[in-house]
């Protein structure tokens, strides 16, 4: 469909737990709309969406993939996302580009941890959503119960729009009813239809009155109410499919094209703008109006073997033509978009214009980065996206090059991989000086290592990284240092008295420096030198060489010499006086705590909870899922769960999985602090 308008677009993201059938469903939609000739399978590694070698090898989507389909006078942009918890970053990012969320549920395994997580996110992002129970044949005996569990878990607004029939091999339509077809395997078309109408008319008083007055409402009126109810979250349609058999996909396409909102009807995605220099940041909603200035939001960055860096963005307002110049994020200089593409999995089709709601991609623009706002002249001082919250990755590995001298290449390659993945971080740890990569879980980093090899032909050795502790103090104390150097030539003199005290735990600042002197005991020009000395010690640490935080330093007295006092003298005096005060302020080591989310067959819950408690962890909650699975949420010190993957595998015979993300810092127990301090070898000081 060469020419379509914003009202014809439907942007749907498919989310849900791993192996629920999202990629296969997209493949089936492409096949049933004749967008592709033959349907591929995940097993054969020839689907449109799982095109990366690692995806074929693992038979799981590892990135989000965009395809477009023209059907029923609509342009459907479908975004397939990974369901494996380690790759949640990609799924989260893709949600920002959608106007409606399709939550895919495996009929056999039911509600799993990513099912909950993505449904929670869709609701928090105020996105219309519908549930697709896939593999309906497999779970045919438990479908009625599953519908009940979905309603209990996600709300009574979840209502079937079709029902399985003929033993799960066919479906009966319940919203747009049809005469033909076998009766449903449970409930009835009448009851389901009634329940839907009762639900959707509730959003409009007049409609409700007319309906309760016995008036027959037209299918247009009901369709419009259905769409509005979805946008309000007052209706969450449930539908049944078998992506493998191609059953129920026609109803899915119906729901998407006739009942899901176009970008004009959808709930606009908020941005944060500053209208004038120094003004407050405020929320701003773009209008899906082609006459307004262009605004787009980058939700996916990928390295393409042919065109290099490919950035996909959703157009939220205005029009874009290839050759236009745009501003990217905070950059001031405009960039010209020479070529624009529409995506079809790994393939990209050149296009020359984009309207509000469109999802397009551009290549080879270095300034493009994940979450960037691309825009025309808006007249705002600044604009940024109201980002989708992403977990802070905590599963770390220290990397070293297998081949000497490849460290530089490895850093470059990992930095490029980090550009593509909002939850993959790579840096040289300023404390432990190790090259550390961090992801959400073990599989996440294993895939990164595979990509290093397959894309950059680089190999690394890995090891658990050293824990990046932090240091702080627990009580107020005073410190003093008199620095005096008379070694022939220019002397040095500076004397500092200062007080340290812990900052309030909820303080936003990690450090505060105050000049509390009076009567010129320390000339003002030397205060920055004292602060510089104190900041050097903050970086070096006073306990075991880890950066310090949560401290307020107040210089309250000192002495200077009209000749010998100079910056270097007060830097040293500041440093030593601070170290002296810290040594009396009961210094503590802080260790990072992580939130663990462990998915396990419920039989192993006992072992897992006691194991976590044995690792100084605290259980925060357990959730029983359908299919005999359970989710255990806990907090634990990172130091105790560095090699948790192997233990969990052993405890659950490989059936458990977990994710971990940063939670907070906590003082280490005294015995741990003693061990870390004992292992610490302070570096020689130069002064
Ligand atoms: N029996 C049956 N199997 C299906 C159906 N849909 C998908 N599958 C199979 O389920 C497995 C997982 O399918 P995928 O499409 O990869 O699932 P996914 O949700 O994309 O998984 P992730 O990419 O890991 O998130 C594959 O072996 C599919 O062939 C279905 O309707 N019926
Ligand atoms: Mg997939």
């Amino acid at each position: 469909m060469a020419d379509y308008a914003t009202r014809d677009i439907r942007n749907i993201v498919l989310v849900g737990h791993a192996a629920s059938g999202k990629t296969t469903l997209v493949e089936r939609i492409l096949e049933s709309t004749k967008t592709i000739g033959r349907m591929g399978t995940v097993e054969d590694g020839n689907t449109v969406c799982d095109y990366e070698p690692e995806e074929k090898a693992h038979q799981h989507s590892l990135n989000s993939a965009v395809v477009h389909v023209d059907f029923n006078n609509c342009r459907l942009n479908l975004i397939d996302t990974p369901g494996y918890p380690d790759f949640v970053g990609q799924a989260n990012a893709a949600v920002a580009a959608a106007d409606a969320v399709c939550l895919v549920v495996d009929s056999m395994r039911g509600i799993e941890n990513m099912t909950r997580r993505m449904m929670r996110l869709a609701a928090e992002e105020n996105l219309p959503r519908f549930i697709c129970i896939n593999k309906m044949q497999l779970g045919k005996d438990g479908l009625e119960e599953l519908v009940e569990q979905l309603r209990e878990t996600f709300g009574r607004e979840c209502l079937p729009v079709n029902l399985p029939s003929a033993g799960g091999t066919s479906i009966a339509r319940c919203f747009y009813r049809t005469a033909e077809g076998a009766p449903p395997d449970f409930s009835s078309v009448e009851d389901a239809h009634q329940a839907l109408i009762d639900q959707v008319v509730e959003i409009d008083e007049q409609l409700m009155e007319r309906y309760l007055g016995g008036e027959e409402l037209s299918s247009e009126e009901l369709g419009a109410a259905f769409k509005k109810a979805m946008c309000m979250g007052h209706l969450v349609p449930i539908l049944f499919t078998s992506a493998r058999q191609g059953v129920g996909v026609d109803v899915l396409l119906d729901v998407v094209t006739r009942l899901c909102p176009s970008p004009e009807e959808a709930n606009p995605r908020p941005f944060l703008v500053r209208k004038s220099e120094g003004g407050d940041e405020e929320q701003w909603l773009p209008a899906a109006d082609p006459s307004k200035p262009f605004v787009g939001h980058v939700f996916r960055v990928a390295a393409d073997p042919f065109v290099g860096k490919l950035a996909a963005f959703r157009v939220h307002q205005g029009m874009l033509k290839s050759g236009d110049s745009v501003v990217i994020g905070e950059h001031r200089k405009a960039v010209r978009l020479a070529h624009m593409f529409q995506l079809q999995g790994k393939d990209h089709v050149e296009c020359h214009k984009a309207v509000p709601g469109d999802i397009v991609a551009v290549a080879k623009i270095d300034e493009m980065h994940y979450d960037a706002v691309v825009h025309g002249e808006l007249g705002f001082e600044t604009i940024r996206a109201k980002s989708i919250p992403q977990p802070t990755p905590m599963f770390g590995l220290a990397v070293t090059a297998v081949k000497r001298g490849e460290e530089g290449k490895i850093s470059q390659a990992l930095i490029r991989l980090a550009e593509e993945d909002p939850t993959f971080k790579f840096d040289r740890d300023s404390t432990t000086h190790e090259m550390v990569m961090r992801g959400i879980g073990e599989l996440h980093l294993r895939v990164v290592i595979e990509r290093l090899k397959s894309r950059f032909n680089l190999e690394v050795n890995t090891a658990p990284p050293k824990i990046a502790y932090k240091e702080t103090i627990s009580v107020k104390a005073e410190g003093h240092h008199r620095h005096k150097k008379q070694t022939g030539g220019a002397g040095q003199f500076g004397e500092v008295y200062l007080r340290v005290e812990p900052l309030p735990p909820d303080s936003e600042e990690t450090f505060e420096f105050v000049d509390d002197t009076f009567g010129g005991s320390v000339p003002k020009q030397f205060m920055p030198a004292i602060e510089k000395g104190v900041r050097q010690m903050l970086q070096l640490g006073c306990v075991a060489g880890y950066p310090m935080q949560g401290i307020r330093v107040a210089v309250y007295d000192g002495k200077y010499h009209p000749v010998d006092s100079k910056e270097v003298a007060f830097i040293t005096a500041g440093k030593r006086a601070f170290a002296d005060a810290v040594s009396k302020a009961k210094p503590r080591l802080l260790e990072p705590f992580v939130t663990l989310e462990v998915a396990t067959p419920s039989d192993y819950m006992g072992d897992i909870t006691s194991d976590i408690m044995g690792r100084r962890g605290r259980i925060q909650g357990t959730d029983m899922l359908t299919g005999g699975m359970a989710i255990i949420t806990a907090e634990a010190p990172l130091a105790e769960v560095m090699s948790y993957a192997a233990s969990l595998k052993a405890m659950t015979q490989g059936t458990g999985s977990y994710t971990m993300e940063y939670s907070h810092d906590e003082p280490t127990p005294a015995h741990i602090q003693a061990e870390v301090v004992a292992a610490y070898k302070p570096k020689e000081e130069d002064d």
Side-chain angles (χ1 to χ4, degrees), residues 16-25 41-43 47 50 59-62 80-84 104 106 134-138 241-246:
H17 200 78
S20 53
K22 303 175 289 297
T23 303
T24 312
L25 208 46
T41 68
V42 171
E43 290 77 359
T47 61
D50 287 0
Q59 300 205 351
H60 281 292
S61 309
L62 305 174
D80 178 27
T81 67
Y84 207 91
V104 182
D106 181 315
N134 188 39
K135 312 186 186 182
M136 55 191 258
Q137 276 109 328
L138 289 185
T241 58
S242 164
R244 189 174 275 177
Q245 315 298 335

Side-chain angles (χ1 to χ4, degrees), residues 171 279 287 379 438 491 571 620 625-626 680:
I171 50 113
R438 290 186 200 284
I571 291 176
Q620 295 190 304
L625 298 182
T626 51
Y680 172 55

Side-chain angles (χ1 to χ4, degrees), residues 1-2 4 9-12 26 29-31 33-36 48-49 65-71 74-80 253 341-345 347-351 358-361:
M1 204 163 91
Y4 52 84
I9 298 174
R10 303 288 182 275
N11 292 319
I12 310 295
V26 172
I29 291 171
L30 290 166
E31 184 263 347
T33 56
K34 306 204 173 3
T35 311
I36 56 173
V48 172
C49 291
V66 181
V67 301
H68 60 272
V69 168
D70 295 323
F71 179 74
C74 282
R75 158 52 61 103
L76 276 53
N77 290 318
L78 303 175
I79 312 174
D80 178 27
L253 285 167
F341 304 103
Q342 285 173 346
L343 297 172
Q344 201 67 313
D347 301 330
H348 29 270
V349 188
E350 182 115 19
C351 65
D358 254 331
I359 292 181
V360 290

Side-chain angles (χ1 to χ4, degrees), residues 18 60 158 205 218 333 336 352 382 454 466 476 521 523 561 679:
H60 281 292
C158 301
E205 250 175 70
S218 70
K333 204 164 95 352
R336 186 167 170 279
H352 300 292
T382 64
S454 69
K466 297 190 188 100
K476 273 190 194 168
S521 55
H561 183 276

Side-chain angles (χ1 to χ4, degrees), residues 305-502:
F306 304 103
V307 295
K309 185 174 178 175
L310 195 65
F313 57 88
R314 148 76 191 259
V315 180
H316 287 273
Q317 179 180 284
M319 292 275 287
L320 193 63
K321 292 188 301 311
S322 49
D324 281 358
S325 291
V326 296
V327 174
I328 302 170
E330 311 293 312
H331 293 277
R332 290 268 160 252
K333 204 164 95 352
V335 178
R336 186 167 170 279
L337 304 181
H339 297 284
M340 275 197 317
F341 304 103
Q342 285 173 346
L343 297 172
Q344 201 67 313
K346 73 174 179 336
D347 301 330
H348 29 270
V349 188
E350 182 115 19
C351 65
H352 300 292
K353 78 173 169 117
V355 299
D358 254 331
I359 292 181
V360 290
V362 291
K364 294 201 183 86
I365 303 199
D366 286 344
E367 292 85 346
M368 283 287 193
H369 57 88
Y370 165 66
D371 215 17
V373 178
V374 198
H375 58 92
E377 194 40 61
L378 290 170
F380 297 141
E381 184 61 28
T382 64
I383 177 168
R384 64 189 179 88
K386 192 159 180 282
S387 309
I388 295 233
Q390 292 282 15
T392 309
M394 283 309 282
F395 183 85
L397 286 173
V399 288
T400 48
V402 169
K403 287 200 201 102
R404 287 170 67 80
E406 286 198 336
E407 286 76 9
K409 280 195 203 154
I410 289 169
S411 299
Q412 286 313 311
L414 289 172
I415 289 168
R416 291 210 11 221
L417 290 173
E419 275 182 355
E420 299 173 26
D421 186 343
T423 55
F424 172 66
K425 303 281 179 242
F426 166 72
D427 63 7
R428 181 172 288 284
D429 189 294
S430 57
T431 320
T432 63
H433 308 298
E434 292 173 315
M435 286 214 285
V436 179
M437 56 181 185
R438 290 186 200 284
I440 301 294
E442 200 225 346
L443 178 63
H444 193 181
L445 295 188
R446 201 168 351 123
V447 168
V448 168
I449 293 167
E450 289 167 8
R451 285 181 178 144
L452 268 182
K453 180 72 185 149
S454 69
R455 282 208 221 151
F456 305 93
N457 196 22
L458 293 168
E459 288 178 81
V460 291
N461 292 323
T462 62
K466 297 190 188 100
I467 299 292
Y469 291 102
K470 297 185 186 110
E471 300 179 10
T472 191
I473 57 173
S474 18
V475 295
K476 273 190 194 168
E478 295 184 350
H480 164 249
H481 187 78
R482 178 187 172 88
H483 174 71
K484 189 171 181 186
K485 231 184 190 172
Q486 303 303 88
T487 46
Q492 289 186 7
F493 178 82
E495 186 163 359
V496 169
Y497 290 84
L498 54 76
R499 202 174 292 117
V500 295
E501 61 186 301

Side-chain angles (χ1 to χ4, degrees), residues 567-582:
E567 191 190 282
V568 61
F570 274 101
I571 291 176
T572 309
K575 237 172 147 172
R576 297 284 166 81
F578 177 73
D580 177 40
V582 168

